[in-house]
Amino acid sequence: MPTVILVRHGRSAANTSGTLAGRTPGVKLDEIGRQQAEVVAQRLAELPLAAIVTSPLDRCKQTAAAIAKHHPELRPATDRRLTECGYGDWTGQQLSTLMKDPLWPVVQQHPSAVTFPNGESMRAMQQRAVDAVRAHDAALANSHGDGALWVAVSHGDVIKAIVADALAQHLDTFQRIVVDTATTTIITYTKTRPFLVRLNDSGSELASLVPKPQPKSRRAKKQTSDAVVGGR
């Protein structure tokens, strides 16, 4: 039952200028974003991470590099499936301008119907991102065991789409989910269902994610995908 810690990159200049950065090359973390990346890196420092995987865009790679400084045994791997949505002609434009586009209300209310002009569909974005997480999850389960913890650094819309899938929600509901910069969103995948453990978390302790070793004399528990009834 590996656990993925989804980290949204720290703040960039595009976040504060009201620009849709998308896949624009060279968009880096601003001073606040670099501080945010270090804070989330400190929160993850004590966890026995099995891997760090990142979107290929600079703002994510910078965030992943900050995390990796506390895990010198790990080298961040790049996965294009975790990259930002391909916004096509919308890339680089001001959000205030895009809000007047006839496509804007569709993005807000019916994103599963959206294909950005000369860009990607939101359904395709969700599919390739979920495929990436599940593929890495399965590989790490084989190499590091079911208790593996790993980090995937990505983007707001991408993480929201992964969360919607984990909750078995239609993509058209994903705009109800909030994922701020430099937050952690944590999902544990089991054989029959994912569990959303944390969402948009910027301050809680993470040590409880580390699997507790079972005494040798105790019979090992059989792994289960059942939810707890009545709470923990």
Side-chain angles (χ1 to χ4, degrees):
M1 298 166 66
T3 295
V4 59
I5 304 169
L6 297 160
V7 176
R8 185 181 174 192
H9 62 78
R11 196 181 81 172
S12 71
N15 294 133
T16 57
S17 66
T19 302
L20 184 63
R23 298 177 184 175
T24 303
V27 177
K28 299 182 182 297
L29 302 181
D30 63 12
E31 183 177 353
I32 295 296
R34 291 191 293 273
Q35 294 173 3
Q36 290 178 332
E38 181 53 37
V39 168
V40 74
Q42 291 282 357
R43 293 181 64 216
L44 297 168
E46 300 304 316
L47 298 184
L49 300 181
I52 303 170
V53 185
T54 179
S55 154
L57 296 178
D58 286 342
R59 53 197 185 273
C60 286
K61 290 170 72 174
Q62 286 181 284
T63 305
I67 297 169
K69 285 181 181 179
H70 297 272
H71 296 272
E73 74 283 3
L74 297 178
R75 187 173 183 176
T78 299
D79 190 331
R80 291 186 173 276
R81 294 174 296 179
L82 294 175
T83 197
E84 182 63 285
C85 185
Y87 295 117
D89 295 345
W90 278 32
T91 302
Q93 294 198 47
Q94 289 291 310
L95 292 172
S96 58
T97 300
L98 294 174
M99 290 173 68
K100 302 170 186 175
D101 191 299
L103 189 60
W104 181 269
V106 188
V107 172
Q108 296 297 316
Q109 301 170 35
H110 192 20
S112 65
V114 171
T115 298
F116 291 97
N118 294 311
E120 183 180 29
S121 74
M122 300 198 87
R123 287 179 293 107
M125 172 201 67
Q126 183 186 47
Q127 186 65 61
R128 45 102 168 154
V130 170
D131 285 350
V133 169
R134 288 183 176 274
H136 287 289
D137 216 57
L140 289 168
N142 288 331
S143 61
H144 289 77
D146 287 338
L149 300 172
W150 65 285
V151 166
V153 184
S154 192
H155 307 268
D157 277 355
V158 177
I159 294 174
K160 286 162 57 177
I162 293 169
V163 170
D165 171 81
L167 294 175
Q169 293 182 352
H170 198 281
L171 182 60
D172 288 347
T173 69
F174 100 127
Q175 298 292 24
R176 304 180 186 191
I177 299 167
V178 175
V179 175
D180 295 318
T181 53
T183 57
T184 57
T185 293
I186 302 170
I187 301 172
T188 298
Y189 287 86
T190 74
K191 289 183 179 180
T192 59
R193 77 187 76 189
F195 290 95
L196 179 61
V197 180
R198 310 267 176 96
L199 174 64
N200 198 36
D201 180 15
S202 60
S204 69
E205 60 78 29
L206 299 176
S208 60
L209 298 175
V210 181
K212 303 295 188 295
Q214 295 291 328
K216 291 182 179 179
S217 59
R218 184 181 299 176
R219 189 176 178 180
K221 277 187 176 181
K222 184 179 180 181
Q223 299 231 347
T224 177
S225 298
D226 291 348
V228 176
V229 177
R232 294 184 184 277

